[in-house]
Amino acid sequence: MTIVAIEPATPERWADLERLFGPTGAYGHCWCVYFRRRAKDFTASVSCAPPERGDSNREALRRVTLDGDVPGLIAYEDSEPCGWVSVAPRKDFVRLARSRSLRPTDPDEPGVWSLVCFWLPPRRRRKGMGSQLLDGAIEHARANGGRILEAYPVDTAGGRAPSAEVYTGTVRMFQKAGFTCAPHPGSGRPIARLTLKDD
């Protein structure tokens, strides 16, 4: 397993994040703002003419980062950015509140953070870096006042594999890290939760 440093995506690391995501914004011009933007705004950014595709998504992530609201963590190996996890207070992800399958059962529950996405370049996958990023996300949320960390994994028990490009993690991955996984009461989709601080 490659040992990496995990650092918050702060303003001085914006260039590293931009380099890691590359010209397609990690995957499909997303720039990891799918859960941060209203559906119509995100769709407009990825369905416009190719020269502008993803520009407003990139600008949304840039604005969050440069404003000092850490949108996630960057993995580094030998000072080179090599991986990403999106983790922040749940309230930052406006699309979760509107989602039929992931809508919080208690939207006013205090201290809930959400982990919504991992991204690794193809050559970095299947080397344990996702688990290192998950460990970093747990510690980051805890250190910044998180009481609960919530995630939205893919259930691979039936043979369904996560996307090779971008994914939210697997149920097994979160269970190994101590999360409890249960079906969402409205949709049945797995929700993983970890208590970071006791009341």
Side-chain angles (χ1 to χ4, degrees):
M1 180 187 309
T2 302
I3 304 300
V4 298
I6 310 291
E7 302 291 348
T10 52
E12 62 273 15
R13 293 190 181 101
W14 168 250
D16 291 344
L17 185 54
E18 195 172 32
R19 188 163 77 251
L20 174 66
F21 281 2
T24 60
Y27 179 69
H29 305 281
C30 176
W31 288 93
C32 209
V33 295
Y34 177 86
F35 286 104
R36 289 180 176 273
R37 303 194 76 191
R38 295 181 306 167
K40 69 175 186 175
D41 297 329
F42 182 87
T43 299
S45 185
V46 297
S47 61
C48 59
E52 293 85 36
R53 198 160 290 162
D55 285 356
S56 69
N57 287 340
R58 176 189 169 279
E59 181 56 29
L61 183 63
R62 180 182 166 288
R63 191 169 47 252
V64 168
T65 306
L66 298 187
D67 284 350
D69 294 328
V70 174
L73 307 175
I74 305 170
Y76 289 87
E77 182 181 18
D78 298 328
S79 75
E80 185 65 23
C82 59
W84 163 258
V85 61
S86 179
V87 59
R90 186 171 66 187
K91 65 178 178 53
D92 291 359
F93 301 107
V94 296
R95 214 154 186 190
L96 288 176
R98 299 171 184 217
S99 169
R100 292 179 187 167
S101 60
L102 299 174
R103 181 181 297 132
T105 54
D106 180 1
D108 298 319
E109 183 181 14
V112 180
W113 281 52
S114 290
L115 187 161
V116 297
C117 187
F118 294 92
W119 190 78
L120 299 167
R123 68 189 182 90
R124 301 285 186 178
R125 296 172 191 158
R126 303 188 188 285
K127 297 180 179 179
M129 198 174 294
S131 295
Q132 291 182 59
L133 282 163
L134 177 55
D135 291 343
I138 292 167
E139 291 311 310
H140 177 72
R142 181 181 285 125
N144 287 279
R147 191 180 60 82
I148 299 285
L149 180 58
E150 190 173 84
Y152 317 97
V154 174
D155 187 355
T156 57
R160 180 180 169 207
S163 164
E165 299 297 333
V166 59
Y167 75 106
T168 57
T170 64
V171 167
R172 184 168 179 261
M173 175 184 180
F174 285 100
Q175 287 174 329
K176 283 177 68 176
F179 285 70
T180 299
C181 294
H184 185 281
S187 68
R189 180 168 172 178
I191 306 292
R193 286 171 61 96
L194 178 69
T195 300
L196 303 174
K197 294 180 181 177
D198 294 324
D199 291 331

